[in-house]
Amino acid sequence: MEVYIHEALFVLFQLCFIVQLYYLLSNHSRLTRYAPAQQLPPPTVPVSVIISARNEARNLTENLPYILQQNYPDYEVVVINDCSTDDSDMILLEIKQEFPHLKIVTITEHERYKTGKKFALTLGIKAAKNEHLLFTDADCKPATLNWITLMAAGFTGSTQIVLGYSPYTRTGNFLNPFIRFETVKTAISYLSAALNGDAYMGIGRNLAYTKSLFFKAKGFASHMHVISGDDDLFVNQNATPGNTSIQIHPDTFTYTDAKTTLSGWFRQKKRHMGVGKLYKNSHRRMLSFDAVSGFLFYVLFILCLVFKFEPLLIIGVFVFRWMLQLLVYSKVFKKLDNGDLVWALPFFDMIYYIYLNVFGLIGTFIKTTRWK
């Protein structure tokens, strides 16, 4: 009986290895071969940048002027001051005196009806004068003044959605390396899926789509009851193989600071992971197979070593996967400005798959009641 158990563990380990190999070579390697255009394209369409801000006085002071100085001839910036209780209103009025292309939309708190980010964004979209919308957050700062130019260039032909990338700033905080690692792995997954013609999510820190698509889809109506999902659920429901493109030129990255405490990071990830259950069935299966097979790969690797079942073969398979990861990810991590994290394989990769399964369960059973 013990022999059969050992053989079963080994077979399952091999199956998980094959599944992980498929994701690595068939999906994630797409981003390795993708090369963004290097020349700065000419401006093509008027753009409305939309930012929802709640109690973001400091971030508005630091980041908004930079966004208002972008090298783009025809754009406006719409900031929704969403029930802020700090000095956001005064700061926005001061900034508007210098930058007349700033448009301010103010929401006041209602005693009986609580509003969330989706409501704020909807008002901002309605207030925007242009068809092409570019979204970011108040705590984000574009890498260069060419951010709008390059993101707007993604609207070619039938494209209605442009997926961007938003890395976290590198710091010495103990959580920072893993948070950046998780962000890069997530980006590799959703950007590669888009290149495969099966986009399933985007991030609101750097995302663009058309106003007509938003209203054709009735905005966020189908998931307005969920706090999160203004970005990934909208993309999941409206992206098609022909209407979605990606932009990963370094000039388009929007940087923000990562959480510095476990409690803050926990609240953020619980909110983000809670919307996964509303993805399309095919996307839920795709993400679940990756998460479960990656987690079991490490569990079964350890069990096979503990039971001393073909240890040399087990270690060989493990090292082979690790080498393939290095081959694929070393290029992609550099493209996404996190080349220093390649050294963290496979340790962070193991933590990453534990994180996916833990927060997947938490997001399924625990409801988030606030977005800020």
Side-chain angles (χ1 to χ4, degrees):
M1 179 62 70
E2 184 177 344
V3 174
Y4 290 125
I5 293 175
H6 291 174
E7 290 181 349
L9 291 176
F10 181 66
V11 170
L12 285 175
F13 175 74
Q14 289 179 307
L15 288 175
C16 291
F17 167 72
I18 293 171
V19 173
Q20 285 292 292
L21 210 61
Y22 166 78
Y23 280 98
L24 183 64
L25 298 180
S26 178
N27 292 358
H28 297 174
S29 63
R30 286 292 185 105
L31 205 58
T32 304
R33 301 189 295 270
Y34 178 79
Q38 295 303 311
Q39 292 186 339
L40 197 66
T44 53
V45 294
V47 173
S48 293
V49 178
I50 298 180
I51 303 169
S52 177
R54 176 176 291 185
N55 295 325
E56 296 279 8
R58 182 179 64 84
N59 287 321
L60 290 171
T61 301
E62 294 180 359
N63 301 327
L64 186 56
Y66 192 77
I67 294 174
L68 288 161
Q69 297 176 62
Q70 288 283 300
N71 294 327
Y72 202 76
D74 190 358
Y75 79 102
E76 64 173 356
V77 177
V78 181
V79 175
I80 309 97
N81 185 12
D82 184 16
C83 307
S84 297
T85 57
D86 59 6
D87 296 329
S88 293
D89 53 346
M90 297 300 298
I91 289 170
L92 287 170
L93 289 174
E94 290 176 5
I95 295 175
K96 184 173 176 60
Q97 291 180 1
E98 183 179 357
F99 301 99
H101 54 298
L102 170 63
K103 183 180 293 184
I104 304 169
V105 177
T106 301
I107 303 175
T108 55
E109 191 75 68
H110 194 285
E111 292 182 2
R112 296 181 58 188
Y113 303 103
K114 301 298 181 181
T115 62
K117 188 177 182 180
K118 291 176 185 176
F119 178 76
L121 288 175
T122 300
L123 293 186
I125 291 170
K126 288 181 177 180
K129 67 178 183 180
N130 297 316
E131 163 70 0
H132 297 86
L133 312 174
L134 177 55
F135 298 84
T136 190
D137 288 339
D139 60 354
C140 294
K141 184 177 182 179
T144 70
L145 294 176
N146 297 321
W147 171 56
I148 296 178
T149 300
L150 288 163
M151 288 297 290
F155 288 110
T156 59
S158 60
T159 300
Q160 294 178 290
I161 300 174
V162 182
L163 306 180
Y165 169 63
S166 181
Y168 285 106
T169 306
R170 193 175 307 172
T171 69
N173 180 267
F174 77 104
L175 282 175
N176 187 264
F178 178 72
I179 291 176
R180 289 191 292 117
F181 182 90
E182 182 268 332
T183 301
V184 175
K185 282 277 286 187
T186 300
I188 290 172
S189 181
Y190 77 77
L191 293 171
S192 297
L195 290 176
N196 281 332
D198 192 27
Y200 68 88
M201 69 164 282
I203 52 168
R205 302 194 303 272
N206 200 2
L207 172 66
Y209 52 78
T210 62
K211 195 172 185 177
S212 57
L213 177 65
F214 179 81
F215 286 113
K216 181 180 179 181
K218 298 181 180 179
F220 308 122
S222 63
H223 49 86
M224 188 64 83
H225 61 289
V226 182
I227 295 296
S228 297
D230 55 276
D231 44 13
D232 54 347
L233 282 181
F234 183 83
V235 172
N236 189 265
Q237 295 179 356
N238 296 288
T240 68
N243 79 345
T244 305
S245 67
I246 73 168
Q247 179 55 272
I248 59 168
H249 190 287
D251 284 1
T252 67
F253 296 171
T254 57
Y255 287 85
T256 187
D257 293 332
K259 298 296 182 182
T260 57
T261 64
L262 282 171
S263 59
W265 180 69
F266 178 84
R267 285 193 300 270
Q268 181 188 57
K269 303 318 295 184
K270 183 179 69 172
R271 184 173 70 246
H272 291 169
M273 298 292 282
V275 301
K277 56 181 176 290
L278 299 178
Y279 284 6
K280 292 177 182 177
N281 290 334
S282 59
H283 295 143
R284 290 209 314 272
R285 287 194 295 268
M286 174 190 70
L287 295 171
S288 296
F289 280 136
D290 182 24
V292 174
S293 64
F295 174 73
L296 289 178
F297 175 84
Y298 288 106
V299 171
L300 294 169
F301 169 72
I302 294 172
L303 288 176
C304 287
L305 289 181
V306 169
F307 290 120
K308 299 180 180 179
F309 187 81
E310 301 289 347
L312 292 180
L313 181 57
I314 293 295
I315 293 173
V317 171
F318 183 90
V319 172
F320 179 70
R321 175 176 177 265
W322 179 40
M323 297 300 292
L324 284 178
Q325 284 181 314
L326 287 175
L327 183 65
V328 173
Y329 289 152
S330 60
K331 297 180 181 179
V332 180
F333 274 51
K334 289 179 182 177
K335 284 184 180 181
L336 300 182
D337 193 29
N338 277 286
D340 64 304
L341 295 176
V342 174
W343 66 267
L345 287 170
F347 174 69
F348 276 170
D349 191 63
M350 178 178 65
I351 302 300
Y352 171 78
Y353 281 107
I354 295 174
Y355 145 82
L356 282 183
N357 286 270
V358 170
F359 278 93
L361 291 173
I362 291 174
T364 300
F365 297 108
I366 298 179
K367 184 179 180 181
T368 302
T369 57
R370 64 175 186 174
W371 77 269
K372 190 70 177 175

